[in-house]
Amino acid sequence: MKFWTGETLSLFGSQVTNLALPLTAVLVFHATSTEVGLLRFLQLVPYLGLAMVFGVWVDRARRKRVMLLANGARMVLIGLIPLLSTAHLLTLPALLALACAIGVFSVLFDVSWMSFVPTLVRHRDRYLEANQKLGTTSSAAEVAGPGLAGALVGALTAPIALIADAASYLVSLATLLWIRTPEPRPERPDPTRAQGRRHLGREMREGLRWVFGDKVLRPLAFIAPFCNFSMVTIWTMFLLYAVRVQGLTATQVGVVFSASSLGGLLGAALSRWLIDRFRLGILYAVAMSAIFTGPLLIPLATGSKATVIGFFVLSFFISYLGLGVANVVMVSLRQALTPTALMGRMNAAFRTVLFGGGSLGGLGGGLIAGALGLRTGITVLAVASAAMVVPVLLSPVSRLRQLPQRTTDES
């Protein structure tokens, strides 16, 4: 409950940053579509180079300490943006550098918290419940967060609004320190045995072999980067499309994301009920199909401002509804199938492919918009996203009946 509370407040703050960072680039520095894509790329590219390294570190250390370091660093880095802006020292290159640094510590925290949850929830049959609660919280933040972010940006300007996120990390640090659940010390290898000595490369390979050698985890890992590539590319282009082509204000963009995020909240809230009543694989297939086909409605939006906003809301609502269900299913599958000793590296491998796809999506969105134009580019990407339904339906995960159990907890 303590962890859940702190993570909830942190997620609400992160929604402010998710909107305020690119809007700072667009509204303050008049960034081009390529520069906005580069900003998103720099936020996510640390997952490509650092997630596996951090995964090895997390499996060697107590995870709460690592999480405290990560959130403390993010609090300072995000707080620097409004400070520099107030002193008239903030530049676009400085904003890009800070976005990348924030991304580095986001990698570290993400790899750690997903490995920390099984320490707090000791019984495997409660993983679904725990992940549903966290998923519901995340979706609730996505519902209220963008509206709050849009209002703060409108009232305070984009850089100053980031103070809210910095404050949320301070609360997160306090709740982490409040947790008293004992975390077992990671096993230390026998240094007298060659095969027992720690080696970064070998430990990274062990994590990758586990993920890509498992018949359930492997297809999840192959589809994951395409999912994030689609969502981040569409999100990046939509921000520019909504402001520059459809003429939406920052507040209206926030309303679109807030209203549509009700889909994610509904999906996460219903996920456990759905899992109890339907085959797990069917739920996965339907949820992932919703994620990939939702963007088709964006280029179809025409008419009055209210009609256009309605189409945008419905598009993201469908995608977020699928995401709310799919996230609970996928995270629970990964935790149920992975031994504790490999949990950090497994999560790191998934973070690498997920956010690697996302980082390329941010960069790709900006480049495609620059090459094809916003309207044509977002249409092409929406159609390409829908085509990913085919490999989802062919995946062995879509044929699962229920949550499988690992037979051993040894790596």
Side-chain angles (χ1 to χ4, degrees), residues 279-303:
R279 286 174 51 183
L280 194 71
I282 290 176
L283 281 179
Y284 169 80
V286 172
M288 293 297 291
S289 297
I291 294 171
F292 283 121
T293 57
L296 287 171
L297 291 175
I298 295 176
L300 298 177
T302 57

Side-chain angles (χ1 to χ4, degrees), residues 207-280:
L208 291 170
R209 276 199 301 268
W210 178 261
V211 170
F212 290 99
D214 185 270
K215 64 181 181 181
V216 173
L217 298 181
R218 181 172 58 250
L220 288 178
F222 279 134
I223 290 175
F226 293 98
C227 179
N228 263 25
F229 180 88
S230 169
M231 295 194 70
V232 174
T233 305
I234 294 293
W235 193 95
T236 301
M237 292 188 67
F238 172 78
L239 194 64
L240 294 161
Y241 180 73
V243 172
R244 293 180 177 170
V245 176
Q246 297 293 352
L248 270 62
T249 65
T251 301
Q252 289 170 330
V253 171
V255 168
V256 168
F257 287 127
S258 289
S260 60
S261 293
L262 285 168
L265 179 60
L266 182 63
L270 293 178
S271 59
R272 184 66 187 273
W273 182 85
L274 292 169
I275 289 168
D276 288 341
R277 285 161 179 78
F278 299 97
R279 286 174 51 183
L280 194 71

Side-chain angles (χ1 to χ4, degrees), residues 20-31 153-154 157-159 243-244 249-250:
L21 271 182
L23 283 178
T24 297
V26 172
L27 300 177
V28 177
F29 299 110
H30 307 289
V153 169
T157 73
V243 172
R244 293 180 177 170
T249 65

Side-chain angles (χ1 to χ4, degrees), residues 234 237 295-296 298-300 373-384:
I234 294 293
M237 292 188 67
L296 287 171
I298 295 176
L300 298 177
L374 290 169
R375 192 182 297 275
T376 302
I378 207 163
T379 301
V380 169
L381 286 170
V383 172

Side-chain angles (χ1 to χ4, degrees), residues 25-317:
V26 172
L27 300 177
V28 177
F29 299 110
H30 307 289
T32 66
S33 57
T34 301
E35 288 169 335
V36 174
L38 178 61
L39 174 67
R40 192 62 177 152
F41 172 75
L42 290 172
Q43 284 181 277
L44 298 177
V45 74
Y47 284 91
L48 277 175
L50 296 176
M52 286 306 301
V53 175
F54 286 164
V56 172
W57 181 24
V58 166
D59 280 339
R60 293 178 179 181
R62 286 192 170 99
R63 280 125 192 190
K64 190 174 85 168
R65 296 176 182 175
V66 179
M67 292 159 66
L68 287 167
L69 170 64
N71 271 359
R74 288 197 288 183
M75 178 184 68
V76 172
L77 291 167
I78 290 171
L80 278 174
I81 297 174
L83 183 64
L84 290 172
S85 177
T86 303
H88 304 289
L89 296 174
L90 186 64
T91 62
L92 184 58
L95 184 69
L96 295 173
L98 285 168
C100 187
I102 293 165
V104 169
F105 289 100
S106 294
V107 177
L108 184 57
F109 186 83
D110 280 354
V111 171
S112 304
W113 83 258
M114 300 185 100
S115 305
F116 186 57
V117 168
T119 298
L120 303 177
V121 184
R122 296 184 180 278
H123 298 289
R124 203 172 301 144
D125 57 358
R126 306 297 295 274
Y127 287 174
L128 279 170
E129 180 186 351
N131 288 318
Q132 180 196 26
K133 285 180 166 63
L134 288 164
T136 301
T137 292
S138 177
S139 298
E142 289 172 354
V143 170
L148 173 63
L152 286 173
V153 169
L156 303 175
T157 73
I160 305 302
L162 290 164
I163 293 173
D165 194 16
S168 75
Y169 284 118
L170 180 61
V171 176
S172 176
L173 289 174
T175 55
L176 283 172
L177 290 170
W178 191 17
I179 293 172
R180 292 291 182 264
T181 303
E183 189 176 358
R185 183 188 297 273
E187 291 185 11
R188 297 185 180 276
D190 183 355
T192 63
R193 300 173 57 192
Q195 65 271 29
R197 294 173 191 159
R198 282 177 166 165
H199 185 274
L200 178 63
R202 185 181 68 243
E203 291 176 70
M204 290 171 61
R205 288 193 296 272
E206 286 174 355
L208 291 170
R209 276 199 301 268
W210 178 261
V211 170
F212 290 99
D214 185 270
K215 64 181 181 181
V216 173
L217 298 181
R218 181 172 58 250
L220 288 178
F222 279 134
I223 290 175
F226 293 98
C227 179
N228 263 25
F229 180 88
S230 169
M231 295 194 70
V232 174
T233 305
I234 294 293
W235 193 95
T236 301
M237 292 188 67
F238 172 78
L239 194 64
L240 294 161
Y241 180 73
V243 172
R244 293 180 177 170
V245 176
Q246 297 293 352
L248 270 62
T249 65
T251 301
Q252 289 170 330
V253 171
V255 168
V256 168
F257 287 127
S258 289
S260 60
S261 293
L262 285 168
L265 179 60
L266 182 63
L270 293 178
S271 59
R272 184 66 187 273
W273 182 85
L274 292 169
I275 289 168
D276 288 341
R277 285 161 179 78
F278 299 97
R279 286 174 51 183
L280 194 71
I282 290 176
L283 281 179
Y284 169 80
V286 172
M288 293 297 291
S289 297
I291 294 171
F292 283 121
T293 57
L296 287 171
L297 291 175
I298 295 176
L300 298 177
T302 57
S304 67
K305 184 67 69 66
T307 302
V308 168
I309 291 175
F311 266 83
F312 291 161
V313 169
L314 182 59
S315 171
F316 284 105
F317 181 92

Side-chain angles (χ1 to χ4, degrees), residues 312-342:
F312 291 161
V313 169
L314 182 59
S315 171
F316 284 105
F317 181 92
I318 292 170
S319 292
Y320 289 156
L321 179 66
L323 187 63
V325 176
N327 271 345
V328 173
V329 172
M330 291 187 290
V331 173
S332 299
L333 279 170
R334 285 151 46 185
Q335 290 174 343
L337 289 167
T338 305
T340 302
L342 283 166

